[in-house]
Amino acid sequence: LLANLVTAFRVSPTRSYLPDDAAASLADLLVEGAIAFAIQGKAIALFSILFGAGLAIQHERFSRLGDPRPWLTRRLAALLGFGLVHLLLIWNGDILVEYALGGFLVLPLLGASNRVLARVALGCLALYLVLPMLPFSPAWPSVDTLQREYLDAMRIYGSGSFAEIRRYSFHEFLVFVPVYVTLFPETPAYLLLGVLAWRSGIARDPGSHALLLKRTAIAGVAIGALLFMLAGAALGAVTFASAGLAPIAMALGYGAALLLAMRGPRMPPLLRLFAPAGRMAFTNYIAQSLLFGWVFFGYGLGLMGRVSAATALAWGIVACAAQLALSAWWLAHFRFGPLEWLWRCLTYARSQPFRRPPTGAR
């Protein structure tokens, strides 16, 4: 939420591919720098790894019903449908389509050994790092094109009607297709890491892997921070490789630290505050797009380009707190978030229980 809000709603995400804004205030530069260092790329990596772990868990559970592939295929197809609606009608920064496509690629591998999964994950990661430098790699938009698209985006998103924004959003998506294609191999790599984290027992029983997790937490954050600094040093190919590996290293460090924290005597109550929002991650993600699309786009308040990074960060913290509270309230009355429930119904091809029974009822 914080990364999307600061870098992709208050301004066009095209700005991320352009030189820094010389007119930005010190506060904005500090906020954008903190988001880039601590969150951007790391949150999406962790979420992708969790999505992969979820695939592994569902593969195990559906295997008890027979062949798990039809169930998982239907689940991923439903996610692809949700993602396309989100992409075309709400916000073209969608990640759900990418998860669904990555899931379809990973699905045939879920019956393979951990060794095979590790090799394929490393292969996808290597492809992700070298693909932009290969002669057949899709050509990224030029700086002039990016600058023109950025100015158009700020004008149309900030003041356009819903129809105008949707037309331009689709055009903008097509402009960035080469970028999406080039970066896509990281998604199946993350998903496979999540499958391995579950099947190896690390995510299932972190207490038995405490030493490994401690080493991963320390090394991941330290190496990720070092690579992030190297990426800003303008060292050619080293810059690109560092920028590609820094989020992965730091995300693994974050994930290991969180798994360790969940074993501590004091942290679980604090972490439990986040559990309801995590159980409703799908609903909360789409709700964020709807809310901040209305706040920043022309068919709503039209505040794109008019809000500082520091203000957007503050709004994001408030929205985060609100979603934590609303998620806890919702799950006290219902078994699932509304979109999670619909997704479940589509997966099982039949209606699922939604409301929780009254207290004391059997």
Side-chain angles (χ1 to χ4, degrees), residues 130-139:
V130 304
L131 186 56
M133 295 175 278
L134 297 178
F136 55 80
S137 176

Side-chain angles (χ1 to χ4, degrees), residues 45-175:
L46 272 179
F47 206 71
S48 302
I49 291 170
L50 285 172
F51 188 80
L55 282 176
I57 294 169
Q58 293 151 11
H59 185 267
E60 288 182 3
R61 293 179 176 174
F62 288 136
S63 294
R64 301 168 194 162
L65 304 175
D67 185 355
R69 287 172 297 181
W71 302 91
L72 288 173
T73 298
R74 192 155 56 226
R75 183 173 176 81
L76 291 170
L79 182 64
L80 179 60
F82 285 127
L84 288 172
V85 171
H86 184 227
L87 173 72
L88 297 174
L89 297 179
I90 302 175
W91 181 49
N92 67 3
D94 171 78
I95 193 62
L96 304 177
V97 169
E98 194 165 328
Y99 283 167
L101 296 177
F104 280 124
L105 290 177
V106 168
L107 185 55
L109 298 171
L110 292 178
S113 67
N114 286 358
R115 178 175 297 182
V116 170
L117 296 182
R119 288 176 177 173
V120 176
L122 288 174
C124 290
L125 182 58
L127 180 61
Y128 161 66
L129 293 174
V130 304
L131 186 56
M133 295 175 278
L134 297 178
F136 55 80
S137 176
W140 284 30
S142 67
V143 174
D144 288 342
T145 298
L146 291 172
Q147 185 67 50
R148 184 173 62 253
E149 292 297 333
Y150 173 69
L151 295 175
D152 287 345
M154 293 297 290
R155 175 176 54 83
I156 296 171
Y157 283 124
S159 60
S161 66
F162 181 84
E164 290 170 336
I165 289 172
R166 294 278 62 83
R167 283 196 297 270
Y168 178 75
S169 174
F170 185 67
H171 158 81
E172 185 181 46
F173 173 79
L174 294 179
V175 169

